[in-house]
Amino acid sequence: MYSIAIEPIDQPDILALIDKLDRYQSSLYPEESNHLVDLSTIPASDMIMQAIRDSRGQAIGCGAVLLNVDGSGEIKRVFIDSAHRGQLLGEKLVASLEASAMERGCHTLLLETGIHQQAAIRLYERCGYQACAAFAPYAPDPLSVFMTKLLVADVRLAAL
């Protein structure tokens, strides 16, 4: 049994997951192609952080959305511990992040991932994300894949 909930980022087990993800990404890409934002520096009002916890209460997955003033958001740090993959937890986490982002007035989500993370790319494609051009603050990078998903069919509805 797993649960997904919004949590503060300063939980030791969430920080351990982020560190594990950072080490993994650092092994795949050079520093200039690693866009590892320190989420602990983002004000809580500008971020949605969620954790997946197992039946013992241990964080086994996490993900965040950085909220922008224009009604868009950027998905960051989606990670499921390898021992818990293959159970559609990534899809459930992304769906939960999307729902929370919409509750906060977000109409569009964007993300950047790396070309060597094919499982992540497939996850996002299954969740309805499509390739797009690089978006601020990123520059085009041959090692990056940029994706987007419109959460609201009519962005005017996002303001309601």
Side-chain angles (χ1 to χ4, degrees):
M1 182 75 171
Y2 297 97
S3 63
I4 302 174
I6 294 174
E7 297 197 22
I9 191 160
D10 61 356
Q11 306 294 316
D13 52 357
I14 294 173
L15 294 172
L17 286 173
I18 292 170
D19 181 62
K20 189 173 186 177
L21 175 58
D22 288 354
R23 284 185 279 116
Y24 173 67
Q25 289 178 317
S26 293
S27 74
L28 295 176
Y29 307 103
E31 186 175 333
E32 63 273 9
S33 292
N34 255 320
H35 308 288
L36 306 176
V37 173
D38 181 357
L39 296 179
S40 68
T41 66
I42 307 296
S45 61
D46 295 341
M47 178 176 61
I48 300 164
M49 181 73 208
Q50 293 190 351
I52 301 176
R53 293 194 176 274
D54 64 15
S55 59
R56 299 168 316 187
Q58 180 66 36
I60 57 86
C62 63
V65 174
L66 303 183
L67 300 166
N68 300 316
V69 296
D70 67 357
S72 69
E74 182 181 356
I75 291 183
K76 299 294 281 182
R77 296 298 208 275
V78 170
F79 182 71
I80 308 294
D81 184 80
S82 59
H84 298 271
R85 292 182 188 154
Q87 302 178 67
L88 301 178
L89 294 174
E91 286 85 348
K92 291 174 184 174
L93 177 59
V94 170
S96 183
L97 288 167
E98 291 172 354
S100 293
M102 284 188 0
E103 288 174 6
R104 298 277 301 272
C106 187
H107 55 73
T108 304
L109 286 176
L110 302 153
L111 65 91
E112 181 275 338
T113 190
I115 63 170
H116 301 305
Q117 292 166 269
Q118 289 299 308
I121 294 168
R122 287 190 302 274
L123 164 68
Y124 295 126
E125 288 173 341
R126 285 192 306 273
C127 292
Y129 289 78
Q130 298 178 339
C132 66
F135 53 90
Y138 304 98
D141 183 334
L143 298 179
S144 288
V145 174
F146 300 95
M147 302 181 89
T148 188
K149 181 177 180 179
L150 187 63
L151 299 178
V152 179
D154 185 338
V155 295
R156 293 173 294 182
L157 297 177
L160 299 178

Short mmCIF file of all heavy atoms in Angstrom, two decimals, residues 22 25 29-38 74 76-77 112-113 137-141 143-144 146:
data_model
loop_
_atom_site.label_atom_id
_atom_site.label_comp_id
_atom_site.label_asym_id
_atom_site.label_seq_id
_atom_site.Cartn_x
_atom_site.Cartn_y
_atom_site.Cartn_z
N ASP A 22 20.21 12.91 -7.92
CA ASP A 22 21.27 13.82 -8.36
C ASP A 22 22.55 13.05 -8.70
O ASP A 22 23.20 13.34 -9.71
CB ASP A 22 21.58 14.86 -7.28
CG ASP A 22 20.48 15.90 -7.14
OD1 ASP A 22 19.52 15.90 -7.94
OD2 ASP A 22 20.59 16.72 -6.21
N GLN A 25 21.96 11.26 -12.04
CA GLN A 25 22.01 12.17 -13.18
C GLN A 25 23.42 12.69 -13.43
O GLN A 25 23.83 12.87 -14.57
CB GLN A 25 21.03 13.32 -12.99
CG GLN A 25 19.58 12.86 -13.11
CD GLN A 25 18.60 13.97 -12.87
OE1 GLN A 25 18.75 14.78 -11.97
NE2 GLN A 25 17.56 14.01 -13.69
N TYR A 29 25.36 12.77 -17.23
CA TYR A 29 25.49 14.01 -17.99
C TYR A 29 26.60 14.88 -17.42
O TYR A 29 26.83 14.89 -16.21
CB TYR A 29 24.17 14.81 -17.94
CG TYR A 29 22.98 14.00 -18.37
CD1 TYR A 29 22.09 13.50 -17.43
CD2 TYR A 29 22.76 13.71 -19.72
CE1 TYR A 29 21.00 12.72 -17.82
CE2 TYR A 29 21.67 12.95 -20.11
CZ TYR A 29 20.80 12.46 -19.16
OH TYR A 29 19.73 11.69 -19.55
N PRO A 30 27.24 15.67 -18.30
CA PRO A 30 28.23 16.63 -17.80
C PRO A 30 27.53 17.73 -16.99
O PRO A 30 26.32 17.97 -17.14
CB PRO A 30 28.86 17.20 -19.06
CG PRO A 30 27.85 16.98 -20.14
CD PRO A 30 27.09 15.74 -19.76
N GLU A 31 28.27 18.42 -16.18
CA GLU A 31 27.72 19.44 -15.28
C GLU A 31 26.86 20.47 -16.02
O GLU A 31 25.79 20.85 -15.54
CB GLU A 31 28.84 20.13 -14.51
CG GLU A 31 28.34 21.09 -13.46
CD GLU A 31 29.46 21.68 -12.63
OE1 GLU A 31 30.52 21.05 -12.49
OE2 GLU A 31 29.26 22.81 -12.14
N GLU A 32 27.32 20.91 -17.19
CA GLU A 32 26.58 21.95 -17.91
C GLU A 32 25.23 21.46 -18.45
O GLU A 32 24.38 22.26 -18.82
CB GLU A 32 27.43 22.54 -19.05
CG GLU A 32 27.81 21.56 -20.14
CD GLU A 32 29.09 20.78 -19.86
OE1 GLU A 32 29.63 20.85 -18.75
OE2 GLU A 32 29.55 20.09 -20.79
N SER A 33 25.03 20.15 -18.50
CA SER A 33 23.75 19.60 -18.96
C SER A 33 22.92 19.05 -17.80
O SER A 33 21.89 18.43 -18.02
CB SER A 33 23.99 18.49 -19.99
OG SER A 33 24.50 19.05 -21.18
N ASN A 34 23.38 19.26 -16.59
CA ASN A 34 22.62 18.86 -15.40
C ASN A 34 21.97 20.10 -14.82
O ASN A 34 22.65 21.04 -14.41
CB ASN A 34 23.56 18.23 -14.36
CG ASN A 34 23.40 16.73 -14.29
OD1 ASN A 34 22.29 16.23 -14.36
ND2 ASN A 34 24.51 16.04 -14.16
N HIS A 35 20.67 20.09 -14.77
CA HIS A 35 19.90 21.26 -14.31
C HIS A 35 19.31 20.93 -12.94
O HIS A 35 18.10 20.79 -12.79
CB HIS A 35 18.84 21.63 -15.34
CG HIS A 35 19.41 21.78 -16.72
ND1 HIS A 35 20.20 22.84 -17.08
CD2 HIS A 35 19.34 20.98 -17.81
CE1 HIS A 35 20.57 22.70 -18.34
NE2 HIS A 35 20.07 21.58 -18.80
N LEU A 36 20.18 20.80 -11.96
CA LEU A 36 19.80 20.34 -10.63
C LEU A 36 19.49 21.51 -9.72
O LEU A 36 20.32 21.95 -8.95
CB LEU A 36 20.93 19.48 -10.04
CG LEU A 36 21.39 18.31 -10.92
CD1 LEU A 36 22.57 17.59 -10.29
CD2 LEU A 36 20.24 17.35 -11.18
N VAL A 37 18.27 22.00 -9.79
CA VAL A 37 17.84 23.10 -8.94
C VAL A 37 17.78 22.62 -7.50
O VAL A 37 17.25 21.53 -7.22
CB VAL A 37 16.44 23.61 -9.38
CG1 VAL A 37 15.89 24.62 -8.41
CG2 VAL A 37 16.50 24.16 -10.78
N ASP A 38 18.34 23.39 -6.59
CA ASP A 38 18.26 23.08 -5.16
C ASP A 38 16.87 23.46 -4.68
O ASP A 38 16.58 24.64 -4.44
CB ASP A 38 19.35 23.83 -4.39
CG ASP A 38 19.35 23.52 -2.91
OD1 ASP A 38 18.47 22.78 -2.43
OD2 ASP A 38 20.23 24.06 -2.21
N GLU A 74 6.81 23.90 -13.68
CA GLU A 74 7.84 22.98 -14.18
C GLU A 74 7.95 21.79 -13.25
O GLU A 74 8.15 21.95 -12.05
CB GLU A 74 9.18 23.68 -14.30
CG GLU A 74 10.25 22.75 -14.87
CD GLU A 74 11.62 23.38 -14.98
OE1 GLU A 74 11.78 24.58 -14.68
OE2 GLU A 74 12.56 22.65 -15.36
N LYS A 76 9.84 18.88 -11.57
CA LYS A 76 11.24 18.64 -11.19
C LYS A 76 11.30 17.42 -10.28
O LYS A 76 10.36 17.13 -9.54
CB LYS A 76 11.81 19.84 -10.42
CG LYS A 76 11.83 21.15 -11.19
CD LYS A 76 12.77 21.15 -12.36
CE LYS A 76 14.21 21.35 -11.98
NZ LYS A 76 15.11 21.40 -13.13
N ARG A 77 12.42 16.75 -10.31
CA ARG A 77 12.81 15.73 -9.35
C ARG A 77 11.83 14.56 -9.19
O ARG A 77 11.67 14.02 -8.11
CB ARG A 77 13.06 16.35 -7.97
CG ARG A 77 14.20 17.33 -7.92
CD ARG A 77 15.50 16.62 -8.29
NE ARG A 77 16.64 17.24 -7.67
CZ ARG A 77 17.28 18.28 -8.17
NH1 ARG A 77 16.88 18.82 -9.28
NH2 ARG A 77 18.33 18.76 -7.54
N GLU A 112 12.01 19.23 -18.22
CA GLU A 112 13.26 18.93 -18.92
C GLU A 112 13.77 17.64 -18.35
O GLU A 112 13.79 17.45 -17.14
CB GLU A 112 14.28 20.05 -18.71
CG GLU A 112 15.61 19.85 -19.42
CD GLU A 112 16.62 19.00 -18.65
OE1 GLU A 112 16.50 18.89 -17.41
OE2 GLU A 112 17.53 18.44 -19.27
N THR A 113 14.13 16.71 -19.22
CA THR A 113 14.77 15.48 -18.79
C THR A 113 15.90 15.20 -19.77
O THR A 113 16.10 15.94 -20.73
CB THR A 113 13.76 14.31 -18.70
OG1 THR A 113 14.39 13.20 -18.04
CG2 THR A 113 13.25 13.87 -20.06
N PRO A 137 14.27 28.71 -18.07
CA PRO A 137 15.57 29.34 -18.23
C PRO A 137 16.57 28.50 -19.03
O PRO A 137 17.76 28.78 -18.99
CB PRO A 137 16.04 29.48 -16.78
CG PRO A 137 15.53 28.23 -16.14
CD PRO A 137 14.18 27.98 -16.79
N TYR A 138 16.10 27.49 -19.75
CA TYR A 138 16.99 26.59 -20.45
C TYR A 138 17.35 27.10 -21.83
O TYR A 138 16.56 27.78 -22.48
CB TYR A 138 16.34 25.20 -20.60
CG TYR A 138 15.93 24.59 -19.29
CD1 TYR A 138 14.61 24.67 -18.85
CD2 TYR A 138 16.84 23.94 -18.49
CE1 TYR A 138 14.22 24.12 -17.65
CE2 TYR A 138 16.47 23.38 -17.28
CZ TYR A 138 15.16 23.48 -16.86
OH TYR A 138 14.78 22.93 -15.67
N ALA A 139 18.51 26.69 -22.29
CA ALA A 139 18.92 26.87 -23.68
C ALA A 139 18.83 25.50 -24.35
O ALA A 139 18.87 24.47 -23.66
CB ALA A 139 20.36 27.40 -23.75
N PRO A 140 18.68 25.48 -25.65
CA PRO A 140 18.68 24.17 -26.32
C PRO A 140 19.95 23.39 -25.94
O PRO A 140 21.03 23.97 -25.80
CB PRO A 140 18.68 24.54 -27.80
CG PRO A 140 18.04 25.89 -27.86
CD PRO A 140 18.50 26.58 -26.59
N ASP A 141 19.79 22.10 -25.73
CA ASP A 141 20.90 21.24 -25.30
C ASP A 141 20.69 19.89 -25.97
O ASP A 141 19.62 19.29 -25.81
CB ASP A 141 20.88 21.11 -23.77
CG ASP A 141 22.04 20.30 -23.21
OD1 ASP A 141 22.59 19.43 -23.93
OD2 ASP A 141 22.39 20.52 -22.05
N LEU A 143 21.59 17.13 -25.12
CA LEU A 143 21.40 16.07 -24.13
C LEU A 143 20.07 16.20 -23.39
O LEU A 143 19.78 15.38 -22.52
CB LEU A 143 22.56 16.07 -23.13
CG LEU A 143 23.94 15.80 -23.73
CD1 LEU A 143 25.01 15.86 -22.65
CD2 LEU A 143 23.97 14.46 -24.45
N SER A 144 19.28 17.20 -23.73
CA SER A 144 18.00 17.45 -23.06
C SER A 144 16.82 17.15 -23.96
O SER A 144 16.88 17.32 -25.18
CB SER A 144 17.90 18.91 -22.61
OG SER A 144 18.75 19.17 -21.53
N PHE A 146 12.80 18.35 -23.90
CA PHE A 146 11.85 19.28 -23.29
C PHE A 146 10.45 18.82 -23.64
O PHE A 146 10.18 18.45 -24.80
CB PHE A 146 12.10 20.71 -23.79
CG PHE A 146 13.48 21.20 -23.46
CD1 PHE A 146 14.51 21.10 -24.37
CD2 PHE A 146 13.76 21.74 -22.21
CE1 PHE A 146 15.79 21.53 -24.07
CE2 PHE A 146 15.02 22.18 -21.89
CZ PHE A 146 16.05 22.07 -22.81
#
